[in-house]
Amino acid sequence: MEPNPSNCNNNNISSSCSSSNGYEHDIIKWFEDVTEKAGSVQTQMLSQILKQNHGVEYLKRWLGDYNIPDMDACALESLFTSVVPIASHEDFEPFIQRIADGDTSPILTQQPITTLSLSSGTTGGRQKFVPFTRHSAQTTLQTFTLAAAYRSKVYPTRKGGRILEFIYSSKQSQTKGGLTVGTATTHYYSSQEFKIKQEKTKSFTCSPDDVISGGDYKQSTYCHLLLGLFFCDEVEFITSAFVYSIVQAFRSFEELWRDICDDIREGGLNSARIKVPKMRKAVLSLISPKPCLASKLEAACLELEKEDWFGVIPRLWPNVKYVYSIMTGSMQPYLKKLRHYGDGLPLVSGDYGSTESWIGVNVDPSLPPENVTFAVVPTFSYFEFIPLHRQNQDDYNCTSSSIMSDDFIEDLPIPLSQVKVGQQYEIVLTTFTGLYRCRLGDVVEVSGFHNGTPKLNFTCRRKLILTVNIDKNTEKDLQLVVERGAQLVSGEAAEVVDFTSYADVSRQPGHYVIFWEVKGEVEDKVLDACCREMDVSFADHGYVVSRKTHSIGPLELRVVERGTFKKILDHFVANGAALSQFKTPSRRENLEEQCRTVEGGAAVRGPLH
């Protein structure tokens, strides 16, 4: 198949499929074909991006003197990567702001941009605008349906079954120039592609649009749970954009189940819980009294409550085959709780993408989330990879072809076809939506290949590290350390609900501060032991040496009041973030400062050294 975006979108592929099985066969065949020749497909993708958008203001300064339409694809690739510089999102912000303000000239793309996506902003510190086009919605559809085709080979589901989806739209707004602004998930859930996905995969979400777009995540969550239980025998799998949303929903269920059972018994809707008129009307049009089901659910929940809700998912949804969500990176700390709820139910990691572009698909859904890899889809964007090498403490001299950065030594970017197994890279994107050689900030490792396309293991966000001086600890390093400390708490019949951290350099020597929210009672002497265990568990050589020389002070553990992280969530959502994109705030933020911004604040007990 010719690697043309008009041929590679899911509308085109799916239109030839007469059944779900036929569709799955066709889309997998298409993917196998394009990955066999991934390198040449990438060259053609870049050629199409540039020929569509040559002459835009951003590119003119480097490509303005070349006859782009008549250039051979290979020559164009060589020219582009040699003269157009690597950029960060900050380099595009002035251009995107002009678009947001109403400038309709060809600044980044020849086609007018009418919609902007907001990144989550919760791991990088602030939200940013990213252009969103029909191509964005089409690649989202393609990602979901391609991944569904591979999942169905391992975990077959019934046609016409339902999906319990904890998905949430946030409010859309208008820029000064009249452009629609919202999260990428909000744009997708309101698009035609979202409806096409359900038709083509023959699996339908339990919740109607008015629940997804209700505007109040607490009310939406209640309705998701209610409808999921009303149709419990029909639900084939449970999903959300991020695993955090699923864990949050089931934590809420522990408190809501009695009201939900009452509503199922009466075929009604709790007026104190659900107040949005459109949401009420939509849910009430779907349900009817089911007293026998309500009694059955009540009996099960009474037993589950005694067992701390262990195995609630398979117990209440007997036909669920798996749970599907993004479970990598900052989502990994929630896997333990999800496994508690799932009691051995397969956990399938969702696919790899960002607000800027989808990147790869999980073609090995039987792998546990900790080992998941993502096969790069070579038609989504043009991908480059900056080789990264971990610094040794004495490694401060770079070759002429390398650049010293804060946490890695960088080599020059290479195309997808030249990556090597075992090497770490930062991803660079050139997209159909107007980003050119833009750093994504993600560190990935190539674990192998699917035909000719690399399979990536997500390692961490590049800049999200704890550092005081020469110490460099990534998000994954922090997660491992917290897990070591939390093991001591679990022995006390308690659990760490959530955590965050920052490096306090306000006084010397600087030190790490870790915040925990703990469920259950834990004595101070146990928390002191947890603090010491975490302090000695950091493996980074710079941290170990700095602690020995006292240039970094003892780690500090602060225990926050129960419900603190829920308040943080409410604060972000109230300020326009979508629950479906929410991640616990940056590991580098001071949680005490964040707590003071939320209504009522949050008590912090500590420090514990």
Side-chain angles (χ1 to χ4, degrees), residues 489 492 494-495 518-524 526-527 530 605:
V489 170
E492 300 293 308
E495 67 173 301
V518 179
K519 179 182 178 182
E521 295 298 321
V522 183
E523 295 181 0
D524 281 352
V526 175
L527 292 172
C530 294
R605 187 178 78 186

mmCIF file of all heavy atoms in Angstrom, residues 489 492 494-495 518-524 526-527 530 605:
data_model
loop_
_atom_site.group_PDB
_atom_site.id
_atom_site.type_symbol
_atom_site.label_atom_id
_atom_site.label_comp_id
_atom_site.label_asym_id
_atom_site.label_seq_id
_atom_site.Cartn_x
_atom_site.Cartn_y
_atom_site.Cartn_z
ATOM 1 N N VAL A 489 5.522 -0.486 55.009
ATOM 2 C CA VAL A 489 4.184 -0.047 55.413
ATOM 3 C C VAL A 489 3.168 -1.163 55.212
ATOM 4 O O VAL A 489 2.266 -1.368 56.029
ATOM 5 C CB VAL A 489 3.764 1.210 54.609
ATOM 6 C CG1 VAL A 489 2.287 1.529 54.835
ATOM 7 C CG2 VAL A 489 4.605 2.406 55.024
ATOM 8 N N GLU A 492 2.325 -3.426 57.887
ATOM 9 C CA GLU A 492 1.527 -2.880 58.983
ATOM 10 C C GLU A 492 0.052 -2.808 58.609
ATOM 11 O O GLU A 492 -0.714 -2.046 59.216
ATOM 12 C CB GLU A 492 2.032 -1.468 59.331
ATOM 13 C CG GLU A 492 3.480 -1.413 59.773
ATOM 14 C CD GLU A 492 3.688 -2.112 61.097
ATOM 15 O OE1 GLU A 492 2.960 -1.785 62.058
ATOM 16 O OE2 GLU A 492 4.577 -2.986 61.174
ATOM 17 N N ALA A 494 -1.259 -1.446 56.043
ATOM 18 C CA ALA A 494 -1.531 -0.112 55.509
ATOM 19 C C ALA A 494 -1.014 -0.065 54.084
ATOM 20 O O ALA A 494 -0.377 -1.010 53.600
ATOM 21 C CB ALA A 494 -0.871 0.962 56.373
ATOM 22 N N GLU A 495 -1.278 1.030 53.387
ATOM 23 C CA GLU A 495 -0.785 1.172 52.024
ATOM 24 C C GLU A 495 -0.496 2.628 51.715
ATOM 25 O O GLU A 495 -1.116 3.538 52.280
ATOM 26 C CB GLU A 495 -1.775 0.624 51.001
ATOM 27 C CG GLU A 495 -3.076 1.401 50.895
ATOM 28 C CD GLU A 495 -3.951 0.926 49.745
ATOM 29 O OE1 GLU A 495 -3.487 0.978 48.602
ATOM 30 O OE2 GLU A 495 -5.101 0.539 50.007
ATOM 31 N N VAL A 518 -1.026 8.001 53.222
ATOM 32 C CA VAL A 518 -1.080 6.626 53.724
ATOM 33 C C VAL A 518 -2.497 6.285 54.158
ATOM 34 O O VAL A 518 -3.140 7.056 54.882
ATOM 35 C CB VAL A 518 -0.103 6.422 54.898
ATOM 36 C CG1 VAL A 518 -0.186 5.001 55.427
ATOM 37 C CG2 VAL A 518 1.327 6.742 54.463
ATOM 38 N N LYS A 519 -2.970 5.135 53.748
ATOM 39 C CA LYS A 519 -4.253 4.601 54.209
ATOM 40 C C LYS A 519 -3.969 3.597 55.319
ATOM 41 O O LYS A 519 -3.256 2.619 55.117
ATOM 42 C CB LYS A 519 -4.987 3.913 53.057
ATOM 43 C CG LYS A 519 -6.327 3.295 53.445
ATOM 44 C CD LYS A 519 -6.965 2.604 52.259
ATOM 45 C CE LYS A 519 -8.280 1.937 52.641
ATOM 46 N NZ LYS A 519 -8.890 1.214 51.480
ATOM 47 N N GLY A 520 -4.541 3.845 56.490
ATOM 48 C CA GLY A 520 -4.279 2.989 57.630
ATOM 49 C C GLY A 520 -3.365 3.685 58.638
ATOM 50 O O GLY A 520 -2.785 4.738 58.352
ATOM 51 N N GLU A 521 -3.241 3.101 59.785
ATOM 52 C CA GLU A 521 -2.429 3.678 60.853
ATOM 53 C C GLU A 521 -1.028 3.075 60.836
ATOM 54 O O GLU A 521 -0.872 1.851 60.821
ATOM 55 C CB GLU A 521 -3.081 3.435 62.219
ATOM 56 C CG GLU A 521 -4.418 4.151 62.395
ATOM 57 C CD GLU A 521 -4.273 5.661 62.308
ATOM 58 O OE1 GLU A 521 -3.264 6.186 62.825
ATOM 59 O OE2 GLU A 521 -5.162 6.308 61.717
ATOM 60 N N VAL A 522 -0.031 3.942 60.859
ATOM 61 C CA VAL A 522 1.363 3.498 60.870
ATOM 62 C C VAL A 522 2.107 4.275 61.943
ATOM 63 O O VAL A 522 2.018 5.512 62.005
ATOM 64 C CB VAL A 522 2.040 3.727 59.492
ATOM 65 C CG1 VAL A 522 3.467 3.184 59.523
ATOM 66 C CG2 VAL A 522 1.238 3.086 58.375
ATOM 67 N N GLU A 523 2.829 3.583 62.791
ATOM 68 C CA GLU A 523 3.576 4.240 63.855
ATOM 69 C C GLU A 523 4.750 5.029 63.288
ATOM 70 O O GLU A 523 5.307 4.684 62.243
ATOM 71 C CB GLU A 523 4.088 3.199 64.855
ATOM 72 C CG GLU A 523 2.992 2.478 65.614
ATOM 73 C CD GLU A 523 3.566 1.484 66.611
ATOM 74 O OE1 GLU A 523 4.819 1.379 66.690
ATOM 75 O OE2 GLU A 523 2.775 0.824 67.309
ATOM 76 N N ASP A 524 5.135 6.072 64.016
ATOM 77 C CA ASP A 524 6.228 6.930 63.566
ATOM 78 C C ASP A 524 7.532 6.147 63.388
ATOM 79 O O ASP A 524 8.322 6.423 62.490
ATOM 80 C CB ASP A 524 6.452 8.073 64.557
ATOM 81 C CG ASP A 524 5.437 9.201 64.376
ATOM 82 O OD1 ASP A 524 4.668 9.142 63.389
ATOM 83 O OD2 ASP A 524 5.417 10.125 65.209
ATOM 84 N N VAL A 526 7.898 3.175 62.367
ATOM 85 C CA VAL A 526 7.858 2.471 61.084
ATOM 86 C C VAL A 526 8.104 3.453 59.938
ATOM 87 O O VAL A 526 8.847 3.161 58.996
ATOM 88 C CB VAL A 526 6.510 1.752 60.898
ATOM 89 C CG1 VAL A 526 6.424 1.114 59.508
ATOM 90 C CG2 VAL A 526 6.313 0.696 61.980
ATOM 91 N N LEU A 527 7.494 4.637 60.035
ATOM 92 C CA LEU A 527 7.717 5.655 59.007
ATOM 93 C C LEU A 527 9.182 6.092 58.976
ATOM 94 O O LEU A 527 9.749 6.349 57.905
ATOM 95 C CB LEU A 527 6.801 6.852 59.248
ATOM 96 C CG LEU A 527 5.305 6.590 59.025
ATOM 97 C CD1 LEU A 527 4.477 7.786 59.491
ATOM 98 C CD2 LEU A 527 5.029 6.296 57.552
ATOM 99 N N CYS A 530 10.932 3.546 57.078
ATOM 100 C CA CYS A 530 10.637 3.718 55.646
ATOM 101 C C CYS A 530 11.506 4.818 55.051
ATOM 102 O O CYS A 530 12.044 4.679 53.940
ATOM 103 C CB CYS A 530 9.171 4.079 55.441
ATOM 104 S SG CYS A 530 7.992 2.788 55.881
ATOM 105 N N ARG A 605 2.301 16.095 57.999
ATOM 106 C CA ARG A 605 3.006 15.665 59.201
ATOM 107 C C ARG A 605 4.451 15.383 58.836
ATOM 108 O O ARG A 605 4.735 14.685 57.869
ATOM 109 C CB ARG A 605 2.358 14.409 59.772
ATOM 110 C CG ARG A 605 2.945 14.019 61.127
ATOM 111 C CD ARG A 605 2.249 12.794 61.690
ATOM 112 N NE ARG A 605 2.721 11.579 61.047
ATOM 113 C CZ ARG A 605 2.195 10.377 61.275
ATOM 114 N NH1 ARG A 605 1.168 10.258 62.073
ATOM 115 N NH2 ARG A 605 2.688 9.307 60.670
#
